[in-house]
């Protein structure tokens, strides 16, 4: 069996049907959350909010102390964010550049140093991830990295904005260093906060949230369209009354970028856990709208055989647990419509692609009126007496990798070729 270490620790949890929140929103993604605990970050293996919400989780770890293991940390991180020969653009992105996870969570630690170790290609992949519809959430160092830079005020009150190339910058603004370490602070939930859509907080106040060198957002610095979910309630510092958690979503196709100054991510219960869960849920609700690859035209085969390097996402291969969406304009007066899926040479067996169709919206397994889930690639979805109008058609890849945990993260094995995509052709006839 072929194997490759992609070094991203997976803590995948099989959830019951009761966690409908996770089940429906996860369609079209390989997993829910990828957690960055890489070089110069806290090497956290656990994110309690994912269990509370019934979400799947993978991560990359890199907190080694000796030089030999540190080299392994770097390789693990490169594989996750930069990519490998068998996974060209890393774990966050599908072959066509669509987000493979719903959310990237970045731990605390040393922000600029970690950003530097990700390298320019890795940082760009994270930006591409958010631009394509994946969401970003970072605490402390992850919050700094979320921004473009830091606002600094010297002893004379002079203000300068320091922009860092090492930051990701998916929130297009600067934050301010709170200059407060190893302390438990209080936060308030402002009126109208998106967090109140998910949880009721007693007196809109949360006590004892850990803070260790994090940042804040002054209301006057909030960019247009930005939102603040929680405020600091800490009178001794200028952070008091300003944003402890803030976010921005550029448009309906991009993901939501969120920064959190304090550290609620390790909490297992109480308002602190609800605080973290509210942030995760708002990020997931901010995932970008799916994109249509194109319109299928009667009698014209559409070959989906390009690879990432071709930069033709509308004709690129499909990844694991991914949907490709198309449309068909169904004319009046036809009695039968066939959607035909055909394998490319070498992919006839051992790969499972399914067909779905629906009139109302993007066709997923959970909502489609028509489907063909026969094994392998070759199949036809026949629709009798189709009504005229726009029909949404999707191809779903049910083939994925196998996973096992290692010191640095997940070992992927099995159908590794799915990481760079499975080719196919699709056509419609009536």
């Amino acid at each position: 069996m072929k194997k490759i270490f992609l070094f991203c620790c997976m803590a995948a949890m099989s959830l019951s049907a009761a966690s409908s929140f996770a089940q429906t929103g996860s369609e079209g993604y390989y997993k829910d959350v990828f957690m960055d605990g890489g070089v110069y970050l806290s090497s956290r293996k656990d994110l309690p909010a994912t269990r509370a919400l019934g979400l799947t989780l993978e991560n990359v770890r890199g907190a080694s102390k000796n030089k030999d293991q540190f080299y392994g940390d770097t390789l693990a991180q490169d594989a996750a964010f930069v990519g490998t020969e068998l996974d060209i653009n890393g774990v966050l992105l599908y072959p066509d550049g669509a987000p493979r996870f719903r959310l990237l969570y970045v731990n605390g630690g040393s922000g600029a140093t970690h950003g530097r170790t990700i390298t320019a290609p890795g940082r760009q992949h994270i930006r591409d991830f958010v631009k394509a519809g994946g969401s970003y959430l970072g605490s402390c160092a992850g919050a700094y990295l979320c921004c473009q830079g830091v606002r600094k005020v010297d002893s004379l009150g002079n203000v300068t904005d320091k922009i860092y190339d090492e930051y990701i910058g998916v929130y297009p603004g600067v934050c301010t260093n709170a200059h407060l370490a190893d302390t438990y602070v209080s936060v308030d939930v402002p009126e109208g906060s998106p967090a109140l859509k998910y949880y009721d907080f007693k007196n809109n106040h949360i006590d004892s949230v850990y803070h260790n060198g994090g940042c804040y957002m002054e209301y006057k610095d909030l960019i247009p369209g930005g939102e603040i979910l929680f405020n600091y309630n800490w009178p001794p510092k200028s952070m008091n009354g300003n944003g402890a958690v803030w976010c921005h979503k550029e448009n309906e196709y991009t993901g939501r970028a969120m920064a959190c100054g304090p550290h609620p991510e390790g909490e297992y219960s109480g308002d602190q856990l609800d605080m973290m869960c509210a942030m995760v849920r708002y990020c997931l609700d901010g995932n970008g709208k799916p994109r249509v690859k194109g319109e299928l035209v009667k009698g014209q085969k559409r070959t989906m055989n390009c690879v990432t390097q071709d930069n033709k996402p509308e004709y690129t291969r499909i990844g694991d647990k991914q949907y490709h969406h198309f449309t068909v304009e169904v004319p009046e007066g036809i009695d039968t419509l066939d959607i035909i899926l055909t394998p490319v040479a070498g992919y006839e067996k051992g790969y499972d692609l399914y067909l779905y169709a629906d009139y109302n919206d993007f066709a997923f397994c959970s909502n489609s009126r028509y489907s063909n889930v026969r094994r392998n690639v070759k199949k036809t979805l026949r629709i009798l007496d189709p009504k005229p109008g726009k029909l949404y058609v999707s191809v779903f890849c049910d083939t994925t990798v196998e996973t096992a945990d290692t010191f640095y993260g997940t070992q992927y094995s099995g159908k590794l070729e799915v990481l760079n995509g499975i080719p196919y052709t699709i056509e419609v006839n009536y």
Side-chain angles (χ1 to χ4, degrees), residues 39-42 107-117 141-142 144-145 167:
V39 180
Y40 295 109
L41 293 183
S42 297
N107 276 290
S110 178
T113 310
H114 175 66
R116 193 176 304 118
T117 65
Y144 285 104
L145 283 166
Y167 284 5

Side-chain angles (χ1 to χ4, degrees), residues 318-337:
I318 194 168
D320 52 346
K321 301 297 180 178
Q322 186 182 17
Y323 284 84
H324 280 179
H325 299 284
F326 306 92
T327 60
V328 177
E329 289 297 332
V330 182
E332 294 185 6
I334 63 172
D335 54 16
T336 304
L337 184 144

Side-chain angles (χ1 to χ4, degrees), residues 151-186:
R151 174 154 294 175
K152 296 186 176 182
V153 183
D154 64 21
S155 59
L156 298 177
N158 297 314
V159 178
T160 57
D161 289 346
K162 174 67 174 176
I163 305 300
Y164 289 94
D165 291 338
E166 299 91 339
Y167 284 5
I168 308 300
V170 287
Y171 176 86
V174 297
C175 59
T176 303
N177 191 328
H179 297 291
L180 181 67
D182 197 18
T183 305
Y184 285 86
V185 301
S186 296

